[in-house]
Amino acid sequence: MKTQIENIFPEKNDLPDNIDLPFPINQTQYLINGELHEWAGPCEEVYSPVYIEEKGSAGNVIGSYPLMDEETSLEALKAAKEAYNNGQGEWPLMTIKERIECFRNFTLKMKEQRDIVVKLLMWEIGKSLADSEKEFDRTVEYINDTIDALKDLDRNSSRPVIKQGIIAQIRRAPLGVVLCMGPFNYPLNETFTTLIPAMIMGNTVVFKPPKLGVLLHSPLLEAFKESFPKGVVNTIYGEGQKVVAPIMQSGEVNVLAFIGSCNVADILKKQHPQPHKLKSVLGLEAKNPAIILEDANLENTVKECITGSLSYNGQRCTALKIIFVHENIVEEFIEKFTAEVEKLVIGMPWDKNVAITPLPEPNKSEQLTELVTDAIEKGAKLCNPSGGIYNKSFFFPAVLSDVNSSMKIYHVEQFGPIVPIVSYSDIQEPLDYVVQSNYGQQASIFGKESKELGILIDTLVNQVCRVNINSQCQRGPDIFPFTGRKDSAEGTLSVSDALRVFSIRTLVALKENDFNKSIFTDITQNKESDFLSTDFIL
Ligand code: G3H
């Protein structure tokens, strides 16, 4: 394995034809106020986690993107603000049907870019071909599901409500300007899970791609430009301090949609001069535990824990990041688990059946090594022979046993391929871990006995927001609510919840008398208002 890892990166001549792109891709365009502008200022180089060995030297620069300044960033905000125009702009006043039409148009254009976006996902963040394709397709499906959910919402709100002598029409209205920032691990999907619902509800958007996974958005700029009125979606790039801080400090952002670390979320929220006017929708950190009971079916448990902890190299907010195993089965579990880990296919994102690929974050292998070393120094055992062997951005998963609270890996979110295993004798030990943890996203329990599972479910549902039984933690299906307690999230996202998060319930009310009834009838029958209307979209 060591030799395989030493030679993990391909030579240029060994690259398959179908994954190559005309590198470097130097993105100079940005979208503000419906126009694609050319950036002439400084640019940031994009490094791929995939090193290409060329005649002994290693090269991995694949392109660059604009390092914008404060002035340009504020232009993006101005465009979004003018397009919203205090709720009087073309977009917030557009009918839902018309907005849906814009999205249908966008989706058609977006699908034309599938091939290049998928390739850029592989090159920029090292995601496997299968997972990159899944990310793209899941995003398109998310847009279609959002359209369907909006139609449902519209149908349900088209019926007036009559209560205590008052007739009301209750609908959802937009909130204003939304700043959308997604994470590097799902740069397309997770960014779009806020961007799409925010826009479709009539808000206007300033959108900053994550630091890693920027170029893959560039093929979609033209589609955004052609599908939406000017200023509805605007893009910014560069250092947060230069391009995001001024936008937040302006006080003109109504909703912050951010998926990333608690630290950055706190900084951004504090920059707003009137925090009470800022609504935040945040997807933050997590350290989801698996709790494996004595009677668990080990075959299924190992399978779920492998995908749960190591899909996309463990770089998922929903990944299983610590595994508690009952002491009576811990040895057997470790033996079976490490055997499966050692069988995982390693390689480049486009390799057939590849499971473990290079990591995009700079110096990640060194950081993971520090965590492993710290744990071993404090008494943990490295269980798998290839665990922790690394070459540049490639790091083979390390399975650690005998982990305890003195070690950093017990507490921090590793966001990478380390699997810490804690042996317990009393179920209270993992439960205390969950209660005392700063995080509260999800947990997985593996076991057979329904009575024991029932008690654990009732305890855990007040600690985390999804309890998975004999199944790994995950976000999907996207119609399920996705959220967390404590440092893990603020607000709930799902296809339908997101429509609610980016809008506010608003109603028109009339005292129920003959005069008002005839006004209601006239307005609805003559179609004199889009809001006060009993029409609905089929
Ligand atoms: O990184 C967090 C993602 O929302 C996880 O989504 O569970 O579908 O991989 P997933």
Side-chain angles (χ1 to χ4, degrees), residues 277-398:
K277 284 194 185 162
L278 178 72
K279 181 167 186 183
S280 298
V281 184
L282 309 175
L284 303 171
E285 300 161 22
K287 181 107 179 159
N288 294 341
I291 303 175
I292 304 176
L293 305 173
E294 197 178 353
D295 64 350
N297 169 334
L298 278 192
E299 197 187 324
N300 174 63
T301 305
V302 166
K303 187 174 134 268
E304 292 293 318
C305 287
I306 290 280
T307 49
S309 59
L310 291 172
S311 307
Y312 186 39
N313 313 309
Q315 300 168 119
R316 294 161 58 232
C317 61
T318 46
L320 289 173
K321 297 195 178 102
I322 187 158
I323 302 187
F324 289 87
V325 191
H326 191 275
E327 60 181 2
N328 291 350
I329 55 158
V330 71
E331 269 180 38
E332 193 185 348
F333 173 79
I334 290 172
E335 194 185 314
K336 290 191 156 74
F337 186 79
T338 48
E340 291 306 313
V341 170
E342 289 287 310
K343 281 190 228 157
L344 290 172
V345 178
I346 64 171
M348 295 301 108
W350 46 84
D351 289 342
K352 200 167 169 231
N353 299 326
V354 72
I356 304 297
T357 54
L359 310 169
E361 288 180 280
N363 306 319
K364 187 73 184 183
S365 296
E366 289 76 7
Q367 290 163 19
L368 294 172
T369 303
E370 264 179 54
L371 287 174
V372 172
T373 310
D374 170 79
I376 291 173
E377 277 171 9
K378 292 169 181 160
K381 287 194 197 103
L382 182 59
C383 305
N384 55 325
S386 317
I389 299 178
Y390 76 92
N391 173 8
K392 302 190 185 84
S393 55
F394 184 88
F395 184 97
F396 194 88

Side-chain angles (χ1 to χ4, degrees), residues 27-41:
Q27 183 199 332
T28 48
Q29 288 193 320
Y30 60 95
L31 177 65
I32 290 186
N33 207 23
E35 273 181 55
L36 287 173
H37 302 264
E38 280 294 326
W39 177 251

Side-chain angles (χ1 to χ4, degrees), residues 127 134 138 183 185-186 189-190 193 259 284 311-312 315-319 321 415 441-442 466 472-478 482:
K127 190 170 270 194
K134 202 158 116 197
R138 178 180 177 180
N185 62 334
Y186 283 90
N189 183 261
E190 290 231 317
T193 59
I259 301 175
L284 303 171
S311 307
Y312 186 39
Q315 300 168 119
R316 294 161 58 232
C317 61
T318 46
K321 297 195 178 102
F415 218 80
Q441 191 198 63
Q442 301 190 17
R466 174 163 164 167
Q472 63 156 314
C473 296
Q474 62 182 65
R475 173 179 180 145
D478 288 327
F482 179 55

Side-chain angles (χ1 to χ4, degrees), residues 221-238:
L221 289 182
E222 191 76 39
F224 276 122
K225 173 183 174 290
E226 287 175 9
S227 312
F228 301 103
K230 66 176 189 174
V232 171
V233 55
N234 308 277
T235 58
I236 56 169
Y237 309 88

